[in-house]
Amino acid sequence: MLVVAVTVTAALLALAGIASTLAGRRIGLLHLWGAALLEVVLLVQAVLAVVLLVRGDRPADTPTFLGYLAGIVLLPVAGALWARSEPTRWAGTVLAVAAGAVGVMVWRLQQLWEATGG
């Protein structure tokens, strides 16, 4: 369920970024609130994953899983910071690419967690 929430939030943020690029405008507060919402959902997911890891549940490839988990949490922040510093209309594209990467990475995290290692 959380994977779907991340995917939908990332998709909406990517669409907002693409829309601002096509309109020839820089990003606005809507984009930043979208990135913040995506970050909050990702932090909830990260906390739940860490709790499960501490309780003893482990994916087959724990180091790769942790790498994806750390990367996915950093992407919206990096994308928003880069987009805010971009003085052209391409700021929306920067944010859309970051959101798209999150959308893909969350499903990879799901695959890594469900892998049996076998």
Side-chain angles (χ1 to χ4, degrees), residues 4 23 37 40 45 61 72 92 95:
V4 173
L37 176 62
V40 166
Q45 179 185 27
D61 190 358
I72 200 171
L95 204 52

Side-chain angles (χ1 to χ4, degrees), residues 2-28:
L2 202 51
V3 173
V4 173
V6 170
T7 304
V8 169
T9 307
L12 291 173
L13 181 58
L15 288 174
I18 291 168
S20 67
T21 298
L22 293 175
R25 308 189 79 181
R26 294 186 65 194
I27 63 168

Side-chain angles (χ1 to χ4, degrees), residues 32-53:
L32 295 178
W33 280 108
L37 176 62
L38 181 58
E39 183 66 22
V40 166
V41 177
L42 289 171
L43 287 173
V44 168
Q45 179 185 27
V47 167
L48 291 174
V50 169
V51 166
L52 289 173
L53 288 169

Side-chain angles (χ1 to χ4, degrees), residues 2 13 21 65 67 71 74 88 103 114:
L2 202 51
L13 181 58
T21 298
F65 179 83
L74 295 175
T88 68
E114 291 177 348

Side-chain angles (χ1 to χ4, degrees), residues 22-114:
L22 293 175
R25 308 189 79 181
R26 294 186 65 194
I27 63 168
L29 285 177
L30 173 71
H31 299 88
L32 295 178
W33 280 108
L37 176 62
L38 181 58
E39 183 66 22
V40 166
V41 177
L42 289 171
L43 287 173
V44 168
Q45 179 185 27
V47 167
L48 291 174
V50 169
V51 166
L52 289 173
L53 288 169
V54 169
R55 287 178 44 194
D57 295 330
R58 299 248 189 269
D61 190 358
T62 303
T64 302
F65 179 83
L66 291 174
Y68 269 88
L69 192 61
I72 200 171
V73 169
L74 295 175
L75 265 173
V77 174
L81 289 174
W82 185 2
R84 284 293 291 160
S85 69
E86 179 62 44
T88 68
R89 72 180 194 159
W90 297 107
T93 303
V94 170
L95 204 52
V97 168
V102 167
V104 171
M105 288 176 72
V106 73
W107 287 98
R108 181 64 180 136
L109 272 173
Q110 183 74 17
Q111 285 178 336
L112 288 168
W113 188 264
E114 291 177 348

